[in-house]
Amino acid sequence: MSHLYTLAHFLDRKLVTPPLFVQSIFGILGGQGADTENLLHAKRIADKLFAGCYQWSVMASGRHQIPFTTMAALNGAHVRVGLEDSLYAGKGRLATSNAEQVRLLRRILEALSLEIATPAQARSILALKGSDNVRF
């Protein structure tokens, strides 16, 4: 929870301004465990500290990646998956790419009737300028 309280401190000191984008990481050794209680507690604390002026995103490492991000999405979080967090696309099956993991999670979330952001919506949520506005 320390990242949430640190962000609240920066917000109080006016070093950051809303809307905030909060990325919570679960399942890293020495960090927050990838379990339901920690996820729900993180959401409660973020809601208490930031009262609706934030976007929440969750990622989980290793074997927790797909099931935990599914649970996070069901609890209102944006989610992140990719090979930098897990090498797998199912139990014992190595993923061939980030895209494979994204497609897998997308299928799961759509089957649960959750809406997937379009690329334009994702750029807006993340306040990205888009590839058409860069010089490389």
Side-chain angles (χ1 to χ4, degrees), residues 129-131 133-136:
K129 58 186 169 184
S131 61
N133 292 311
V134 295
R135 295 189 179 142
F136 57 83

Side-chain angles (χ1 to χ4, degrees), residues 44-80:
R44 279 191 303 272
I45 296 300
D47 287 344
K48 177 178 88 169
L49 295 173
F50 310 122
C53 70
Y54 75 103
Q55 295 281 329
W56 187 38
S57 183
V58 169
M59 58 86 40
S61 67
R63 65 183 174 87
H64 305 290
Q65 184 179 57
I66 299 300
F68 197 82
T69 53
T70 300
M71 182 173 46
L74 287 168
N75 281 279
H78 300 292
V79 295
R80 169 187 133 178

Side-chain angles (χ1 to χ4, degrees), residues 3-131:
H3 71 297
L4 299 174
Y5 284 99
T6 300
L7 182 57
H9 170 77
F10 290 147
L11 184 61
D12 289 343
R13 293 190 59 203
K14 309 228 183 308
L15 297 172
V16 296
T17 56
L20 305 170
F21 187 83
V22 177
Q23 175 82 52
S24 296
I25 301 169
F26 296 85
I28 303 294
L29 184 62
Q32 299 178 99
D35 60 63
T36 305
E37 292 86 8
N38 286 338
L39 177 75
L40 298 178
H41 182 61
K43 182 170 182 3
R44 279 191 303 272
I45 296 300
D47 287 344
K48 177 178 88 169
L49 295 173
F50 310 122
C53 70
Y54 75 103
Q55 295 281 329
W56 187 38
S57 183
V58 169
M59 58 86 40
S61 67
R63 65 183 174 87
H64 305 290
Q65 184 179 57
I66 299 300
F68 197 82
T69 53
T70 300
M71 182 173 46
L74 287 168
N75 281 279
H78 300 292
V79 295
R80 169 187 133 178
V81 295
L83 292 172
E84 64 275 14
D85 304 323
S86 174
L87 298 176
Y88 293 90
K91 187 174 182 175
R93 192 168 60 80
L94 289 173
T96 58
S97 66
N98 285 329
E100 179 184 12
Q101 292 176 330
V102 170
R103 282 191 300 272
L104 171 61
L105 188 58
R106 180 182 184 129
R107 280 193 307 273
I108 292 167
L109 298 181
E110 286 178 336
L112 295 168
S113 299
L114 294 176
E115 185 179 338
I116 307 299
T118 65
Q121 290 168 327
R123 280 191 291 278
S124 176
I125 291 165
L126 296 170
L128 300 175
K129 58 186 169 184
S131 61

